[in-house]
């Protein structure tokens, strides 16, 4: 049996070889190949293309097709497994995806071909949970903004929330999506003595410290709202203008999941009119955002360039999960 792993700039083929070394001990022939990229920007652009338009939007290089043609098992992180790849692999029985979702796999065609598809939910859950808490604190305590100003030689102590800078203790954190990431965020924020409420239509009973509520109630009672739902046709613009209108004037929205979960135009209106206090955003409708993107330019927003899941530990560990 042949296992072929496709490495990339974030999970190189050496990591895949190390992570699947036990397969060799079991008699599986292990082969790896590197999906060659000019730089991280190229990889990010291809990944964004696939996430927005599907696996068929990218044509896989011939050298990848040649390397995987005899695979019984294929391992990938970002390289798309579309009709082109599946048709090239006559013996393929399974695809393993080293990421939380399967956006880069044509699941319908794989199913028709009888190819099982596996993924690694929670592989970077700690990374995203840590980052979410960091973004929450950075925005409400103005850490990133004051850092930027001080670097420019400006001693600025008053920001949009100058009259209402909060402690976290006794505040309500609303978590939208109580999967692997959401549960870890709940655990971390509980350590700050926060009350935790959550919305997830697939979870009836959460951990002992989490109260499950409707999305409407979560938006109304939360001082901080963090998003961890998967983007689907049902969840697109889940945080709509109406939902944003339910938020407290002093509340903050933190999105380290997918930009499509939020109506960005409505969020801009809520922030620019001070209907809500602030936001921290790691994901955008257009990545990278335009230089003068109105949402990015607001003074009550902390922004980062889609960094939440990108830790060395997450990438190294993915092949072992």
């Amino acid at each position: 049996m042949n296992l072929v792993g496709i490495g990339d700039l974030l999970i190189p083929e050496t990591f895949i070889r190390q992570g699947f070394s036990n397969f060799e001990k079991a008699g599986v022939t292990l082969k790896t190949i590197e999906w060659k990229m000019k730089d991280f920007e190229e990889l990010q652009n291809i990944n964004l293309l696939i996430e927005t338009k599907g696996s068929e939007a990218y044509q896989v290089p011939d050298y990848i097709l040649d390397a995987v043609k005899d695979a019984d098992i294929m391992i990938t992180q970002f390289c798309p497994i579309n009709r082109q790849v599946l048709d090239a692999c006559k013996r393929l029985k399974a695809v393993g995806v080293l990421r939380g979702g399967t956006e880069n796999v044509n699941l319908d065609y794989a199913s028709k071909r009888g190819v099982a598809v596996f993924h690694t939910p929670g592989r970077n859950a700690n990374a995203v949970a840590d980052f979410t808490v960091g973004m929450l604190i950075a925005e409400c305590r103005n850490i990133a903004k004051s850092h930027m100003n001080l670097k420019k030689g400006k001693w600025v102590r008053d920001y949009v929330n100058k009259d209402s800078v909060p402690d976290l203790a006794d505040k309500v954190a609303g978590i939208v999506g109580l999967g692997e990431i959401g549960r870890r965020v709940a655990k971390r924020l509980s350590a700050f003595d926060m009350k935790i409420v959550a919305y997830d239509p697939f979870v009836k009973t959460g951990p002992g410290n989490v109260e499950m509520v409707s999305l409407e109630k979560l938006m109304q009672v939360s001082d901080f709202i963090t998003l961890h739902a998967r983007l689907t046709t049902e969840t697109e613009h889940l945080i709509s203008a109406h939902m944003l209108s339910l938020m407290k004037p002093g509340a903050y929205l933190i999105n380290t999941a997918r930009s499509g979960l939020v109506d960005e135009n409505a969020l801009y209106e809520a922030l620019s009119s001070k209907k809500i206090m602030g936001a921290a955003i790691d994901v955008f409708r257009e990545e990278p955002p335009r230089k003068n993107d109105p949402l990015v330019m607001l003074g009550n927003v902390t922004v980062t360039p889609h960094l939440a899941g990108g830790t060395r530990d997450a990438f190294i560990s993915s092949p072992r999960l």
Side-chain angles (χ1 to χ4, degrees):
M1 181 172 287
N2 297 324
L3 185 154
V4 180
I6 306 171
D8 56 47
L9 288 173
L10 293 175
I11 301 183
E13 59 177 311
T14 53
F15 288 9
I16 296 176
R17 182 168 290 279
Q18 292 168 10
F20 289 89
S21 59
N22 286 337
F23 280 65
E24 285 188 299
K25 297 174 185 177
V28 175
T29 300
L30 176 59
K31 176 183 176 182
T32 58
I33 184 169
E34 197 76 8
W35 183 26
K36 299 170 185 174
M37 294 280 133
K38 180 175 61 177
D39 51 30
F40 284 103
E41 183 176 356
E42 181 182 5
L43 178 60
Q44 182 183 34
N45 289 339
I46 294 172
N47 186 45
L48 184 61
L49 174 68
I50 292 167
E51 288 191 351
T52 54
K53 297 186 177 180
S55 61
E56 299 299 330
Y58 177 80
Q59 185 170 354
V60 176
D62 288 342
Y63 68 87
I64 296 287
L65 299 177
D66 185 61
V68 302
K69 64 183 180 181
D70 294 325
D72 296 287
I73 303 170
M74 195 185 316
I75 304 298
T76 183
Q77 180 188 213
F78 288 129
C79 187
I81 309 302
N82 51 26
R83 283 176 174 266
Q84 179 192 19
V85 178
L86 292 165
D87 285 341
C89 304
K90 306 303 181 184
R91 299 166 44 175
L92 192 64
K93 301 174 182 64
V95 174
V97 185
L98 302 177
R99 58 191 297 186
T102 53
E103 295 90 341
N104 56 321
V105 181
N106 187 328
L107 293 177
D108 290 338
Y109 194 59
S111 179
K112 289 179 182 178
R113 287 281 311 276
V115 176
V117 179
F118 303 88
H119 62 126
T120 50
R123 61 111 181 183
N124 61 356
N126 281 325
V128 178
D130 293 346
F131 196 90
T132 299
V133 175
M135 288 285 274
L136 184 156
I137 297 173
E139 169 57 25
C140 74
R141 298 300 303 274
N142 303 302
I143 295 172
K145 299 167 205 161
S146 57
H147 168 86
M148 181 179 65
N149 279 322
L150 205 51
K151 285 281 190 177
K152 294 178 178 179
K154 300 177 182 178
W155 185 264
V156 180
R157 291 172 56 85
D158 290 341
Y159 293 90
V160 173
N161 64 345
K162 64 180 181 179
D163 296 323
S164 59
V165 175
D167 287 345
L168 299 188
D170 300 321
K171 298 299 188 296
V172 178
I175 297 175
V176 179
L178 200 63
E180 292 289 339
I181 296 170
R183 288 171 184 265
R184 284 168 168 78
V185 171
K187 182 178 180 180
R188 284 156 173 74
L189 293 180
S190 293
F192 289 94
D193 295 324
M194 299 185 76
K195 178 183 177 182
I196 312 297
V197 298
Y199 165 75
D200 192 316
F202 301 103
V203 178
K204 292 184 179 180
T205 305
N209 63 324
V210 178
E211 178 188 357
M212 303 304 298
V213 298
S214 67
L215 181 58
E216 288 79 4
K217 182 175 180 180
L218 182 147
M219 302 301 289
Q220 290 171 337
V221 304
S222 299
D223 300 293
F224 298 90
I225 297 169
T226 70
L227 306 183
H228 310 291
R230 185 167 296 283
L231 180 61
T232 65
T233 53
E234 290 78 17
T235 61
E236 186 172 8
H237 287 187
L238 181 68
I239 308 303
S240 61
H242 170 65
M243 288 298 172
L244 290 166
S245 72
L246 300 178
M247 291 176 66
K248 297 177 180 180
Y252 298 81
L253 181 74
I254 294 88
N255 188 7
T256 56
R258 289 290 183 266
S259 64
L261 294 172
V262 182
D263 181 336
E264 284 193 357
N265 293 331
L267 179 59
Y268 172 80
E269 170 60 27
L271 289 164
S272 62
S273 63
K274 308 297 189 299
K275 291 178 182 176
I276 65 174
M277 186 60 69
I281 306 169
D282 185 51
V283 287
F284 301 88
R285 179 174 51 201
E286 180 182 347
E287 293 186 357
R290 301 185 309 277
K291 184 176 181 180
N292 295 317
D293 185 294
L295 193 57
V296 174
M297 301 304 291
L298 289 173
N300 53 345
V301 178
T302 295
V303 291
T304 50
H306 207 144
L307 294 176
T311 65
R312 179 174 174 81
D313 288 332
F315 293 132
I316 290 176
S317 299
S318 290
R320 300 184 186 134
L321 295 177

